[in-house]
Amino acid sequence: MGERIFIGVAWPYADGPLHLGHIAGAYLPSDIFARYHRLKGNEVLMVSGSDQHGTPITIKAEQAGKKPEEIVNHYHQQFLDSWQKLGISFDLFTRTGTANHAEVSHDFFLTLLNRGYIYKATVSQPFCPQCRRFLSDRYVEGTCPYCHFSGARGDQCEECGKPMTPAELIDPRCKLCATTPQFKDSEHFFFKLSAFQDRLLAWMKKQTHWRQNVLNFTMRYVEEGLKDRAITRDIDWGVPVPLDGFEGKRLYVWFEAVIGYLSATKEWAKSSGDEAKWRSFWQGNEARSYYFIGKDNIIFHTTIWPAMLMGYDGLNLPYDVPANEFLTIEGSKLSTSRNWAVWLPDYLSRYEPDPLRYLLSISMPETADTNFSWREFVRRNNDELVATYGNLVHRVLTFVYRNFDGSVPAPGEFDSRSQAVIDMAKDTLNTVDRLLSQCHFREAMRSAMSLAQDTNRYLEEKSPWKVIKENKQAAATALYVAISVISCLRTALYPFLPFSSQKLHEFLGFEGSVGDDGWQPHFPSPGQKLLPPEPLFSKLDEGLIEEEVSRLGHVTHNL
Ligand SMILES: [Zn+2]
Ligand SMILES: [Zn+2]
């Protein structure tokens, strides 16, 4: 029986365009993982959605003279467009503004309240006398009490990653006008995170399959002692509090956005016509859930969301949280405010999706930060994607197409060298299979590429282009072996490079979608008709490097 895999992916905040850091951090690895499992014949559900509540969107709307809805509608559409162009294959990409999400969040809130895991308390909230508003946590800035970084935000220190409350900051100031905020009393609900300390620790100690950096970071955080967290805010844009007397307050985004994984599953089940189907991904031992996020989101997915699930009771805890580290751009830390970022819609308006998917896969920030540079993008495209893989495919398919009547040649007997290449192709498929099942994406991609390299060496030795004049059978055998390897690469690389794998699938004369072909060495049969081949990838001009680098730090994005 196949496995059942739930894939939750970080909810992008709908106040700006996506950039390559988001893609390398969460969206590409989750898509590779989903495509791989579907190809294996497993049942996959991959969901996410636009996170559309919270103060930054209201402030952005105010500044632009628009309604918050207009801002989030614009970016939600843009996200959907980007997924389609980059090939990120969500089963559902919804948003936190749906009635369904409010309903599921309310149920979650009330259940935790009834079980005693939510309580009411009066707290002092930062209020800016200059702006005349309560400031949400991230709109208070100051010095981090843990690492003394001077630009720490009131919800989290971006430098050391610790969650925070504004009252903990040293020298707090309003982010909008730099005035020192006053603290005013306000009644709010709290989630009793501290009650889960021991249960969480006991659970975490069993997660030995987690990435070392994720596990260590989480353990350190929990061992320092968990504090209860406010789950409501003084704001009017968000999911309402489902109780009388709290009309001016909303659920805090961190609390309701993680519930989105569950509400999206329920929405997906409803639209499939089988409303109870959500249970198969959330209850019982049949399903494993994976959460793909960037490292700034680790605590919410390894500690807070699991605690909420423990409190709710009866829903599956995360099986793995393969969080990625950060992507730097041209050697410097990515910064959206300084426009030191490569924006996904810009990339997609100028280049093909697979070269980016290739580059971000082969240098994925799985265990440490990695760097994106346009020089590396051009080099890896030209020297690896085109020269190693693309040329192997194109050289073999065009030669066979011209000399063997447009169909797969019938091989003679394999010598030991040819047999070794066939065996290596099968081994590589097994290796990539194992690596992908463990979320080792970079290594899996390298393993597939080294098969392409070895096959190029094999073809140089056998030189079918020369041999064909005196021994057509020997040439046919070598080319048949190469086509068989190419067919394996089509499968192994499909999760990473879905667009070119589909083209190759068609050139090889297979029908339908490569995604339905299964994870197995499926060799073309002798006589199988090929389609006229075209290059899978194109070389990029080095001139683009300077042009692209000069855009950094200058482009402004206005809605
Ligand atoms: Zn800090
Ligand atoms: Zn202010």
Side-chain angles (χ1 to χ4, degrees):
M1 197 185 106
E3 301 169 45
R4 199 172 287 149
I5 307 288
F6 173 80
I7 301 175
V9 197
W11 290 56
Y13 199 60
D15 75 337
L18 295 158
H19 55 63
L20 298 198
H22 295 124
I23 304 310
Y27 303 103
L28 181 60
S30 56
D31 182 64
I32 294 168
F33 197 64
R35 287 176 185 273
Y36 155 72
H37 275 292
R38 293 189 196 112
L39 199 50
K40 291 274 290 179
N42 295 328
E43 209 181 324
V44 173
L45 179 66
M46 171 169 158
V47 300
S48 181
S50 293
D51 180 356
Q52 67 172 68
H53 295 134
T55 315
I57 283 166
T58 61
I59 289 173
K60 180 148 192 165
E62 243 169 66
Q63 286 167 349
K66 291 178 189 288
K67 290 186 180 136
E69 288 90 336
E70 292 178 79
I71 307 275
V72 301
N73 289 345
H74 171 83
Y75 287 113
H76 183 68
Q77 273 314 314
Q78 197 188 68
F79 294 165
L80 290 171
D81 183 55
S82 292
W83 304 144
Q84 196 247 323
K85 287 182 179 149
L86 188 60
I88 306 297
S89 56
F90 283 111
D91 295 291
L92 177 68
F93 185 82
T94 178
R95 48 202 293 174
T96 56
T98 64
N100 168 71
H101 177 68
E103 189 186 311
V104 176
S105 301
H106 286 167
D107 168 59
F108 222 100
F109 178 95
L110 293 170
T111 304
L112 292 178
L113 184 72
N114 291 337
R115 301 224 157 113
Y117 293 121
I118 286 179
Y119 63 90
K120 223 182 327 181
T122 299
V123 281
S124 68
Q125 284 280 282
F127 179 88
C128 177
Q130 182 71 29
C131 300
R132 296 177 167 278
R133 69 196 304 162
F134 279 106
L135 296 171
S136 75
D137 292 355
R138 57 185 296 154
Y139 276 84
V140 185
E141 287 183 346
T143 302
C144 172
Y146 302 101
C147 75
H148 295 275
F149 173 60
S150 64
R153 291 192 325 230
D155 60 339
Q156 184 171 39
C157 173
E158 279 192 317
E159 191 67 22
C160 68
K162 295 247 168 55
M164 190 95 47
T165 67
E168 291 175 83
L169 288 173
I170 301 162
D171 295 330
R173 55 184 185 271
C174 169
K175 190 191 167 183
L176 301 169
C177 72
T179 304
T180 305
Q182 299 166 348
F183 283 82
K184 287 195 173 187
D185 281 355
S186 182
E187 196 171 45
H188 282 289
F189 287 97
F190 281 74
F191 175 53
K192 208 188 258 181
L193 186 58
S194 58
F196 297 90
Q197 174 98 14
D198 295 343
R199 265 185 280 176
L200 282 170
L201 269 182
W203 172 69
M204 274 161 202
K205 284 189 179 137
K206 288 186 270 179
Q207 311 308 315
T208 48
H209 56 284
W210 284 11
R211 285 183 183 166
Q212 211 55 48
N213 44 338
V214 175
L215 191 57
N216 292 345
F217 184 71
T218 305
M219 292 287 266
R220 270 202 309 277
Y221 176 70
V222 178
E223 279 165 354
E224 276 172 20
L226 295 172
K227 294 191 191 111
D228 297 347
R229 293 176 64 97
I231 59 170
T232 51
R233 303 273 85 191
D234 294 288
I235 187 175
D236 57 10
W237 174 244
V239 176
V241 180
L243 293 170
D244 290 339
F246 291 87
E247 286 73 17
K249 298 175 199 282
R250 295 290 180 272
L251 295 183
Y252 199 175
V253 278
W254 70 257
F255 179 78
E256 52 105 344
V258 286
I259 298 173
Y261 297 117
L262 178 63
S263 67
T265 309
K266 291 190 171 180
E267 183 183 335
W268 164 83
K270 275 180 205 163
S271 65
S272 79
D274 179 1
E275 211 168 314
K277 210 166 149 188
W278 70 270
R279 295 181 190 279
S280 66
F281 283 99
W282 283 88
Q283 294 179 327
N285 302 321
E286 303 273 289
R288 286 205 305 266
S289 21
Y290 291 79
Y291 292 85
F292 286 85
I293 54 164
K295 72 173 163 191
D296 49 337
N297 242 327
I298 290 177
I299 296 303
F300 287 98
H301 292 79
T302 59
T303 306
I304 295 173
W305 178 229
M308 289 166 65
L309 289 166
M310 286 173 179
Y312 188 90
D313 203 18
L315 300 176
N316 291 345
L317 298 179
Y319 172 76
D320 200 1
V321 185
N324 273 351
E325 305 277 312
F326 289 148
L327 189 70
T328 55
I329 301 291
E330 301 288 344
S332 296
K333 196 176 167 182
L334 191 151
S335 160
T336 53
S337 56
R338 289 190 299 116
N339 276 311
W340 195 264
V342 178
W343 304 102
L344 186 61
D346 287 351
Y347 173 90
L348 292 169
S349 71
R350 292 194 281 280
Y351 308 103
E352 294 293 318
D354 276 357
L356 179 65
R357 294 180 63 116
Y358 174 70
L359 174 64
L360 295 183
S361 298
I362 201 122
S363 57
M364 193 175 276
E366 287 174 33
T367 50
D369 292 356
T370 56
N371 182 50
F372 172 91
S373 79
W374 285 103
R375 182 164 297 283
E376 187 74 350
F377 172 69
V378 172
R379 184 187 73 74
R380 286 212 188 255
N381 179 77
N382 292 355
D383 298 357
E384 296 176 6
L385 204 51
V386 174
T388 303
Y389 175 44
N391 282 355
L392 165 68
V393 170
H394 198 58
R395 206 155 55 126
V396 168
L397 293 189
T398 44
F399 191 74
V400 168
Y401 196 81
R402 282 191 205 129
N403 293 282
F404 293 87
D405 209 15
S407 39
V408 176
E413 209 171 317
F414 292 163
D415 59 11
S416 60
R417 178 72 174 109
S418 299
Q419 189 56 50
V421 174
I422 293 281
D423 292 344
M424 185 170 55
K426 292 179 182 167
D427 288 349
T428 302
L429 215 48
N430 288 334
T431 304
V432 173
D433 184 353
R434 177 176 52 79
L435 290 169
L436 286 181
S437 73
Q438 298 164 346
C439 299
H440 297 318
F441 304 107
R442 194 161 61 162
E443 238 185 294
M445 175 53 109
R446 288 183 181 184
S447 167
M449 287 303 281
S450 81
L451 173 62
Q453 248 162 12
D454 287 342
T455 310
N456 280 322
R457 269 196 288 277
Y458 166 78
L459 283 171
E460 265 158 49
E461 288 165 35
K462 295 287 182 187
S463 294
W465 356 98
K466 292 180 200 150
V467 169
I468 193 164
K469 290 172 210 130
E470 61 262 22
N471 186 348
K472 192 159 182 177
Q473 185 58 74
T477 305
L479 290 163
Y480 179 81
V481 168
I483 286 187
S484 299
V485 175
I486 288 169
S487 177
C488 283
L489 286 169
R490 163 191 66 115
T491 305
L493 290 173
Y494 162 74
F496 302 93
L497 310 172
F499 297 95
S500 48
S501 274
Q502 179 61 34
K503 274 200 226 166
L504 179 52
H505 183 75
E506 290 162 19
F507 295 159
L508 287 172
F510 291 113
E511 297 197 334
S513 161
V514 57
D516 298 331
D517 203 49
W519 189 277
Q520 80 225 328
H522 184 185
F523 300 144
S525 322
Q528 182 164 316
K529 280 279 168 207
L530 303 172
L531 285 194
E534 286 161 32
L536 286 183
F537 312 102
S538 337
K539 273 191 97 163
L540 291 166
D541 189 306
E542 293 211 346
L544 74 83
I545 299 168
E546 207 185 309
E547 198 180 313
E548 290 291 353
V549 170
S550 73
R551 288 179 208 266
L552 287 167
H554 295 294
V555 192
T556 51
H557 279 266
N558 294 315
L559 179 65

